[in-house]
Each structure stands twice: as structure tokens, then as C-alpha cells.
Amino acid sequence: MARTADRVRRLSAARRRILALALGAAMAWTGAMFARADSTDVASVRLDALSSRFLAGGVVLTLELSSPAPFTFFTLDAPRRLVIDYASSTGEGPDELPDLAPPLGEPRFGLFRPDRARVVVPLAQPMQVSRAAARAGAAGIEITLVPVPPDVFAARAGWPAGARWEDAASPRDPVLPGDARLVVAIDPGHGGIDPGAMSDGVMEKDVVLAFAQRLARHLEASGGVRAVLTRERDIFLPLGERVRIAQRAGAHVFISLHADIVIEGEAAGVSVYTLAPEASDAAAAELAERENRADVLAGAEAAGVEDDVARVLIELAQRGSMAEAERLAKATLAMLRSEVELLRSRPHRRADFRVLKAPGIPSILIELGFLTSPVDRARIVTPGWQEMAAGGVARGVLDWAGETAPAWRAPRTAQRP
Ligand SMILES: [Zn+2]
């Protein structure tokens, strides 16, 4: 790292000015490259490898792709990131990516939208793209980054047209008509470019998707529930969109599924979270902060996502959904307790989770365990354990629905958010 900092510092001011001028030319043609995507068959484009090397005061980043694909790139500030999008409907790639040359940080990749995959590379120093081109003689993309002053970086960072998640042309879910069944929205956290927590080859996004499918089967087996998954495959979804899917489905209940890690110390077992302005403890606050950051890490934060916490909480309290969420959490934990091991101290915790703020829909977030615990990691991927835990959650939901006020069970008209 220190060596790179030296290289960067050695660049003279004159050289930086020349590089900054070169950027203008580079940026001018970025948009056009993706515009050619539409006519190409790029459905199965896969990321084969990602590598980097130093070159003339800068760094060259190489994406090897299974076949040529139109691409675009841009940088975002706070935190500084390089984002490379290429046409792909699978987002597939290697199990692990290698470390890149500093100041390039730990890269992540995956499906960002149904029509494009994304690679996000954190930048420890302000750098700008001086050259970007399809690889010569092989499928892929080669991008050269050079250091620039922070003010130049800040001025050039930003979204090109059409690159936001909201710009996807694919149709949104239809608004479903209400029926007599209890509608349960199940939200497998993370997905696509956002893997969530990772430890020893286990990825949170995979575990929670498998669990969500089991939970849906358990709930629907009761005959009185329609389960709606916010995502059914390995694809990215912004936090706000998860809530909107529940609203469009006319959900009575929202259950977000996650698996945590601990930075230090040991922890194991299942825990259930409800929304509160003040976290019940420091660990819960840190967890909410990690989960709320998912959109930023995926290069997807939308304008105006900062909700007015006080207003949202008052609305939820008035509609009674916070009180119902508390009852739902207690009922779920009561049923889970007889099936699986719970977090030993206080398995019901509270924090300010962005995904738990659907007005009028009692919402809970279940952490299935800690991927940093070898015991949890082993059982969380075991079908038998998943069956028991999913059965426990389903019985908790049904118990809550049977006990609670008829208003929550009545057919609900889907909301157009
Ligand atoms: Zn998570």
C-alpha cells in the first residue's frame, strides 16, 4: 500500500492535469458503448477472471468475459468506487476473486439488474479512468485508472443515464388482487452483486434464498397462506424495492431473512429483530448499519433514500403495525425455541432497519445464525436444520395470525406504492 502511495505522490501536478484532460475524452464515449447492447445476444455472458497490474503510474484492471459484451463504467464518490456494468442476464463468475493491486480494494460482482451484471471496485485513492476498451484478441474489458486530485474525482463522479436500478426496462410485478388468505412477504436478503455476509465459502445471499423457499412451502402447506418472495433467484434488489413488492402484493406480514457475522467474540443461534428508533444494544445497532449499507456497497443507493425516521415511526405506531410486529416476533421465537438453538442472550432485539418500514405491514427480520460460528455455519446450510427452523417460523406466523385482531387477517387490497 505504502509503495502505491509513493507512486501516486510522485506524479507531478503537470502530469495530473494532462491525465485529467485525457479523462474528458474517455468519459465522452462511455454511454455509447452500452447503447449497442440491445441487438447482441449476451444472455449467458460470464465473468471468467478479474486481475490488475501496474502500468505507467496507473493500474490496469482486466475483466475476462466468456464472450464479448457491451459495457459501461462510471465512478461514484463517498465512498469512492469504480463501477463497471456489462450486459449479462446471469451475472455468473468465479467463486472467489483475487486481491487487486492497491489502491484497488476488494472487488465484488454479480447480477445488478435482469439485463446487466456489475463489478464494483472500491478505490482507496481518487482515481479516474484514462482508457477503457474491449480486450484485444479476447473477450473482456480492459480499464486503465490513473490518480487524480480529489476535486477532479468528485467533479466527474456520478451516474450515467440508464445505469440506475430503477432504469431497468423489465416490468415490475403486477399488483395482485386480494384473496382470503394471509399474504406473507418473505424477503431473502441481499442477492446478485450484494453477497451479504460471507465466511468460509458460505454466502448469506444463498443461504437465505434456500431458506425462504422452504419457509414459503411450510406456510403454503397450511392452506391459509399465500407466500410472496421478494426475489426468487440470485439478483440484486434495493431495500426500498423489497418493501414495495410487499405492498404491491397486499402483504399482511413482512419477514426479512438474513445471517450475520461477528467481528469479535463468539455468538451463535437464531435471533429476531423488530424496528425501533433506538437500538436495544450496540451489536444490534451495528447489525442494522451493516444491513442498511447493502445498497451503497452494490453501487445502487438512490437519491432521497434517507427517510424521516420520526415520521415513519409515528405512522407505523398509529397503524398499530409496530405493536403487531412485536407480537409476531414473540410468537415466532416461541415456536422456534422448541426447534432450534436461539441466541443465548436476548434473542429478540431491536434496531433501526430500513427494510422494516412498510407502513401498515408488521415486519420482522430474522437472523438465522452467525456465519462466523463454525457450528452455525455448518447447520445453516443443512437441509434438515433449515426444515426445522422454517417449520418453527411458519408455526409462529400462523399462531400470531390466529391470535391477532381480525383486521390483520382480512383480505387486503394491494397497495400501489
Ligand atoms: Zn444480511
Side-chain angles (χ1 to χ4, degrees), residues 31-378:
M33 306 192 71
F34 219 97
R36 287 199 295 266
D38 306 337
S39 58
T40 323
D41 176 22
V42 289
S44 60
V45 174
R46 182 193 143 86
L47 178 66
D48 285 336
L50 186 68
S51 60
S52 61
R53 64 180 198 276
F54 290 111
L55 184 82
V59 178
V60 180
L61 182 70
T62 303
L63 283 76
E64 294 172 35
L65 299 176
S66 58
S67 50
F71 69 96
T72 189
F73 60 86
F74 53 97
T75 48
L76 294 173
D77 208 350
R80 291 183 184 121
R81 288 154 287 168
L82 167 69
V83 180
I84 304 152
D85 284 356
Y86 53 93
S88 171
S89 58
T90 70
E92 284 177 5
D95 288 341
E96 262 182 69
L97 292 178
D99 290 341
L100 299 175
L104 306 183
E106 193 180 330
R108 51 173 67 204
F109 77 98
L111 206 55
F112 176 67
R113 280 187 349 208
D115 61 341
R116 62 170 72 187
R118 169 165 293 184
V119 173
V120 179
V121 182
L123 301 171
Q125 292 167 21
M127 300 194 89
Q128 200 50 277
V129 175
S130 65
R131 178 179 176 277
R135 288 172 73 211
I141 305 161
E142 207 163 73
I143 289 184
T144 307
L145 290 145
V146 293
V148 287
D151 56 329
V152 172
F153 183 91
R156 295 201 178 273
W159 294 84
R164 288 182 189 275
W165 191 88
E166 294 77 8
D167 299 330
S170 63
R172 301 276 173 93
D173 320 333
V175 173
L176 300 169
D179 62 31
R181 288 176 294 173
L182 185 81
V183 181
V184 179
I186 304 172
D187 173 47
H190 312 278
I193 186 160
D194 169 22
M198 290 187 286
S199 183
D200 204 25
V202 178
M203 283 198 266
E204 180 181 0
K205 65 174 183 177
D206 298 334
V207 169
V208 296
L209 180 57
F211 190 88
Q213 287 157 342
R214 280 183 205 280
L215 177 57
R217 282 198 294 274
H218 276 272
L219 284 165
E220 296 209 321
S222 72
V225 172
R226 178 158 62 84
V228 177
L229 268 62
T230 54
R231 68 178 177 94
E232 300 195 6
R233 62 183 184 126
D234 186 13
I235 190 166
F236 173 79
L237 269 184
L239 294 172
E241 183 63 15
R242 298 168 187 270
V243 171
R244 286 190 289 275
I245 289 170
Q247 290 176 306
R248 284 198 295 272
H252 297 86
V253 183
F254 181 89
I255 301 173
S256 195
L257 298 169
H258 293 262
D260 200 9
I261 49 166
V262 277
I263 310 301
E264 54 187 55
E266 287 173 19
V270 181
S271 47
V272 176
Y273 289 79
T274 45
L275 181 70
E278 297 283 332
S280 54
D281 55 279
E286 283 168 26
L287 170 67
E289 210 221 303
R290 277 200 295 279
E291 301 290 11
N292 290 345
R293 228 172 31 212
D295 287 2
V296 175
L297 294 175
E301 78 276 38
V305 289
E306 276 314 310
D307 37 29
D308 177 344
V309 175
R311 180 186 53 73
V312 169
L313 291 172
I314 288 167
E315 187 176 3
L316 293 183
Q318 281 170 344
R319 296 205 198 186
S321 47
M322 274 175 93
E324 286 302 330
E326 290 287 307
R327 287 159 47 90
L328 174 62
K330 286 186 173 60
T332 304
L333 280 166
M335 293 300 176
L336 271 170
R337 193 179 294 277
S338 60
E339 299 287 347
V340 293
E341 191 185 321
L342 302 181
L343 184 63
R344 209 159 293 158
S345 77
R346 290 175 294 121
H348 180 183
R349 297 181 181 219
R350 297 168 184 84
D352 181 23
F353 290 95
R354 187 172 290 162
V355 80
L356 298 183
K357 293 178 181 171
I361 306 177
S363 301
I364 60 173
L365 185 144
I366 302 177
E367 293 282 344
L368 296 171
F370 293 84
L371 296 184
T372 35
S373 152
V375 177
D376 270 8
R377 200 167 56 234

